[in-house]
Amino acid sequence: MNQIILLTHQKGGVGKSTIAYNLAQTFKKNSKVAIIDFDFQGSLLQVSGISDFDIFSYNGKLDKIKELPYDFTFIDTPPYIMDRLEELCNISDIILIPTKAGILDLFAIEKTIKVVRDSGNMDKAFVVFNMVKPNTNLTEDIQDKVKEFGIRQANTKLNDFVAFSRSVLGQLENPKAQQQIDELSSEVLDFLISQKSKIRNLENS
């Protein structure tokens, strides 16, 4: 069944598109993947011609995305609270909220988390700290603040590697950057597997 991985944050410049692309690159080694670009800027659509997996916009019914012929579909959302975000949360199997560890990013993420909470999907949402500067106390302070929102945080934190953004034009050439993406991919897969197991247990009980 097509598993939907939603990346959302109302603030631009937090790395949603880059993370979606790099995760898709990793997943496509063993699976059929696609990215749906809901971003009005169409950042990822611009590289669809050189990508070795499908990247496209979508105007159909959101509940039909599950029926698309992929193992994993990544959804990249625009830098604002779009009208259909709650519905996207509902159809997604996991929600990733990338954020930088900055004060302004903290203010912005609260609104995104509110949409996720209002849609009743906090149980499948994770904050992913991105563009993290090594050895900074600010990241720890922001982490503590995010905990107050009652949302989980991914164990993997992505550093501020130039290789992440350059990877959309080719492969991820920095071994440390690739290791971090591999670790985040493993976290995502582990969560999806655990959710499937819970559903099976409920069906059999």
Side-chain angles (χ1 to χ4, degrees):
M1 180 184 292
N2 185 8
Q3 300 277 284
I4 299 176
I5 301 166
L6 174 67
L7 291 97
T8 188
H9 191 308
Q10 75 154 43
K11 191 174 185 296
V14 297
K16 293 188 298 291
S17 300
T18 302
I19 293 174
Y21 190 90
N22 282 299
L23 286 175
Q25 279 278 28
T26 299
F27 276 56
K28 61 100 176 169
K29 295 172 185 176
N30 299 299
S31 306
K32 187 176 182 181
V33 305
I35 297 177
I36 298 179
D37 192 352
F38 279 97
D39 189 344
F40 71 94
Q41 296 174 342
S43 303
L44 289 176
L45 286 174
Q46 296 176 30
V47 297
S48 60
I50 60 174
S51 172
D52 51 4
F53 52 85
D54 294 340
I55 302 175
F56 52 91
S57 58
Y58 184 84
N59 295 314
K61 293 182 177 179
L62 297 185
D63 59 0
K64 296 296 183 182
I65 293 177
K66 275 282 189 186
E67 300 175 12
L68 295 176
Y70 302 101
D71 298 311
F72 299 97
T73 298
F74 296 83
I75 296 180
D76 185 26
T77 57
Y80 55 84
I81 301 295
M82 59 185 295
D83 293 340
R84 299 198 287 176
L85 183 55
E86 282 200 21
E87 189 177 354
L88 283 174
C89 289
N90 289 334
I91 67 167
S92 297
D93 296 286
I94 185 171
I95 301 166
L96 302 180
I97 307 175
T99 186
K100 293 190 284 187
I103 300 300
L104 295 179
D105 301 283
L106 182 66
F107 291 149
I109 200 173
E110 187 172 7
K111 295 179 180 179
T112 303
I113 292 172
K114 183 180 185 303
V115 174
V116 175
R117 179 179 289 109
D118 291 347
S119 69
N121 290 291
M122 288 287 280
D123 61 327
K124 58 186 178 184
F126 292 80
V127 169
V128 180
F129 283 97
N130 190 31
M131 304 182 197
V132 174
K133 306 291 184 184
N135 304 316
T136 57
N137 292 327
L138 179 59
T139 301
E140 295 180 5
D141 294 339
I142 298 298
Q143 280 183 264
D144 289 341
K145 279 292 186 183
V146 170
K147 287 178 184 177
E148 296 177 8
F149 297 144
I151 189 169
R152 283 174 293 193
Q153 300 174 31
N155 293 322
T156 306
K157 296 172 184 59
L158 304 177
N159 288 132
D160 194 13
F161 292 124
V162 174
F164 282 134
S165 56
R166 288 180 177 173
S167 64
V168 297
L169 299 176
Q171 297 298 314
L172 190 54
E173 296 178 350
N174 184 318
K176 290 184 178 179
Q178 184 62 64
Q179 180 182 350
Q180 291 179 359
I181 286 294
D182 289 343
E183 290 172 355
L184 182 58
S185 298
S186 294
E187 279 197 67
V188 170
L189 282 173
D190 286 346
F191 178 80
L192 293 175
I193 291 169
S194 70
Q195 291 300 97
K196 277 188 174 182
S197 178
K198 288 179 182 178
I199 291 171
R200 281 197 298 268
N201 290 338
L202 287 172
E203 289 174 345
N204 294 330
S205 61

